[in-house]
Amino acid sequence: MRSIRFLIAGTLAAFAISSAIGADDAALLRQAQQIFHPLPKDIGTGDFLVTEERVRLGRLLFFDPRMTLDGNVSCATCHQPALYGTDGLPTSIGVKQRPHARNAPTVLNAAMQFVIHWRGDRQSLEDQVEQALTSPISSGQPDERAVIERLRRIPGYAALFKTAFPIDVDPLTVKNIAKAIGSYERALVAPSRFDAYLAGDVNALSAAARAGLETFIRTGCAACHNGAGVGGGMYRKFGVVEDYWIATSSQAIDKGRADVTKNPADLYVFRVASLRNVAMTAPYFHDGSVATLPEAVRIMARVQLGAKLKDSEIDDMIAFLNSLTGDLPADFATAPILPPATITIPKS
Amino acid sequence: MRSIRFLIAGTLAAFAISSAIGADDAALLRQAQQIFHPLPKDIGTGDFLVTEERVRLGRLLFFDPRMTLDGNVSCATCHQPALYGTDGLPTSIGVKQRPHARNAPTVLNAAMQFVIHWRGDRQSLEDQVEQALTSPISSGQPDERAVIERLRRIPGYAALFKTAFPIDVDPLTVKNIAKAIGSYERALVAPSRFDAYLAGDVNALSAAARAGLETFIRTGCAACHNGAGVGGGMYRKFGVVEDYWIATSSQAIDKGRADVTKNPADLYVFRVASLRNVAMTAPYFHDGSVATLPEAVRIMARVQLGAKLKDSEIDDMIAFLNSLTGDLPADFATAPILPPATITIPKS
């Protein structure tokens, strides 16, 4: 009974759509709705909650450079609001000018990714934060105690940790810093015109963007770049048809996940990038070797799918990818005001 | 005739104030109004205009790290919104981890200062920006051409420069970058409760803050910290009564302006700091050697004025100084969205 009612409702809805917008557009929308999903409101899980108190604390910590060795690197150093949650660099620069190995992806919608980092060697955003806090490149701090000691010098934080983690006897821990920043990041969801489209508003995408979407699906891009993240949901070898480093003119060959798993089957395997906000997050690929989006699209079609796209197809694809640009969440665009410190950071 | 009318009006106004708020409060307000001035709406001059177009461009450039050598340092690196326009460090860290010589003052209300930098070796904000763009510490770029070349890789800027400097044949110059960023900074005015007080609203300051203001004037602080900036208007020797570096436990002795002018009379002379937003901009002094505001107040009273303040006087003074904290201007608190680059920054 229930399924019949659903079937009728679905048929009526499909009819309503197709009569209003044309059969091709309706078919494309239905196809897109099967491949992609709208972004959720936030990306909390049972293990990693999004609470107002954790988000408030996590937002402060995200922007606070005073936890790292010289006090001049924060999460926001590599994930700047003005650059849509990236640093605009091919590969990032950490404390004491130490080089990061790979390109910093945007922090927007980052929690949609099934693993964190290009090689998937972080299990969650919280795992990433926890490891970053004592990483020689991201932080430079020798151990967790040094990180905590820095926060103790900023009296305003004590009450915020207590409120965010009310059950903990001593809530000021690296695990809780990670949970708070993770909570904040899980709230950094940036829905775009594409979400309105997936919700049924065909005209949220221009005709060019709809053509680009059709090309995107037909060419095979959506085989990997799918789901709510339009990517970020699986591992794939970069360079299926030809070696990626030739197409990208990469300065070095990165073996990808094979260096993590020591499994030859993982050679040149990376996490598929989410294409959300891709138009605002140049340069592209794990090594930032490609500067522009049209070039990145051309290369991906070639090395992954053996497809040679026409210029007009690339134009349409760019129109589609532009529709994945969301508004910066207000909590990210606007800096929080950090509590003052009472002990100065010594020169290292 | 006119002066008589003014005299009557003035007497009536004074009577109105004193009858409503008590004679002591009225007298303190009148005294304060002679020593201090409310902040203007913006701080443009005939030479350095504040226009909507320049502010819009200057705001982007202020937050854009891609002009500097490695693309990882912008104006906002040392002048972070989250830290009230400072970096929270004793002394700042530039490109390639190169050390700045002195503490980064806040960019808020910075245009009120009669010269720029602690030693006054920059004539204006525009002069500061222009020199910073090719400074080995702030930027690392070898020359102006290298800076301009970077901006040419970001196509979105061309039209913005043309609009901001419509008469110029080739508006993309270092001078115009400086004018645009200067224009933006001249608009970063952060009025506070103290401005409401100076405008006649006695209750804009708490009783403690008014007591602190009275102590501030009586102790002699206002002899140097006066005007709209509550400082920033003159040079003075740091350490009149005793050597500053003993009181501050400074790691090194900075000769101040004498190193600029080679004049022995300028030994240990610095620009008097503006106290606007001082509660939010620790650590203190040219070398950031003092971590907390109560300690900074105690030291200043001692080394400049030979005064030993009681704890209660310092408490009141802090209440007064807290009243100098303005709201972050929205144009500063919220990051602009930078135009994407089409050529990637090479690794240096």
Side-chain angles (χ1 to χ4, degrees), chain A residues 63-66 70-72 74 77 80-84 87-91 93-97 100-101 251 279-280 282-284 287-292 328 332-348, chain B residues 63-66 70-72 74 77 80-84 87-91 93-97 100-101 251 279-280 282-284 287-292 328 332-348:
Chain A
F63 282 93
D64 202 327
R66 294 169 294 181
D70 291 313
N72 69 334
S74 69
T77 300
Q80 298 176 36
L83 289 161
Y84 249 76
D87 55 16
L89 295 171
T91 54
I93 300 172
V95 291
K96 295 198 175 293
Q97 196 74 9
H100 280 276
Q251 288 182 10
M280 301 305 290
Y284 300 104
D287 55 4
S289 52
V290 171
T292 69
L328 282 192
F332 184 56
T334 302
I337 293 167
L338 300 179
T342 51
I343 302 177
T344 301
I345 294 167
K347 289 181 202 181
S348 70
Chain B
F63 282 92
D64 202 327
R66 295 170 293 182
D70 292 313
N72 69 335
S74 69
T77 300
Q80 298 177 37
L83 289 161
Y84 250 76
D87 53 17
L89 295 170
T91 53
I93 298 172
V95 291
K96 295 194 175 293
Q97 196 75 9
H100 280 277
Q251 289 182 9
M280 301 304 290
Y284 299 105
D287 54 4
S289 52
V290 171
T292 69
L328 283 193
F332 184 57
T334 303
I337 294 165
L338 300 180
T342 51
I343 304 178
T344 300
I345 294 166
K347 290 183 200 177
S348 69

Side-chain angles (χ1 to χ4, degrees), chain B residues 127-297:
Chain B
D127 182 24
Q128 191 278 326
V129 173
E130 193 177 335
Q131 293 199 46
L133 284 168
T134 53
S135 138
I137 298 168
S138 300
S139 150
Q141 293 286 30
D143 52 34
E144 297 194 354
R145 233 179 46 145
V147 176
I148 297 302
E149 177 50 37
R150 284 293 178 78
L151 290 189
R152 289 205 195 287
R153 299 171 178 197
I154 306 167
Y157 275 124
L160 292 163
F161 272 91
K162 192 68 208 162
T163 309
F165 303 98
I167 297 165
D168 294 20
V169 176
D170 181 11
L172 182 40
T173 63
V174 162
K175 278 244 181 301
N176 283 348
I177 296 172
K179 279 184 187 168
I181 295 178
S183 190
Y184 171 61
E185 292 177 332
R186 287 173 188 278
L188 295 181
V189 176
S192 73
R193 287 183 285 135
F194 189 53
D195 296 278
Y197 174 81
L198 291 176
D201 178 8
V202 166
N203 293 313
L205 294 198
S206 67
R210 294 200 299 271
L213 168 61
E214 194 275 329
T215 306
F216 188 85
I217 296 170
R218 175 172 41 79
T219 309
C221 313
C224 299
H225 295 285
N226 53 39
V230 193
M234 63 185 79
Y235 294 117
R236 277 295 178 275
K237 184 182 174 186
F238 185 19
V240 174
V241 179
E242 51 182 295
D243 293 334
Y244 76 79
W245 54 87
I246 296 168
T248 58
S249 306
S250 292
Q251 289 182 9
I253 298 172
D254 188 330
K255 291 182 183 166
R257 194 157 164 73
D259 281 335
V260 178
T261 63
K262 311 299 174 197
N263 181 350
D266 288 333
L267 206 56
Y268 317 127
V269 165
F270 297 89
R271 182 197 55 198
V272 172
S274 165
L275 299 184
R276 291 272 181 184
N277 299 300
V278 71
M280 301 304 290
T281 56
Y284 299 105
F285 304 135
H286 64 277
D287 54 4
S289 52
V290 171
T292 69
L293 193 52
E295 188 60 11
V297 169

Side-chain angles (χ1 to χ4, degrees), chain A residues 101-102 114-123 235 254-262 266 269-272 286:
Chain A
R102 292 171 193 84
F114 84 121
V115 289
I116 305 300
H117 278 195
W118 285 95
R119 304 186 303 175
D121 49 355
R122 302 292 185 273
Q123 296 312 304
Y235 293 116
D254 188 332
K255 292 184 185 164
R257 194 156 165 74
D259 281 335
V260 179
T261 62
K262 312 296 175 200
D266 287 334
V269 165
F270 298 88
R271 182 197 57 199
V272 172
H286 64 277

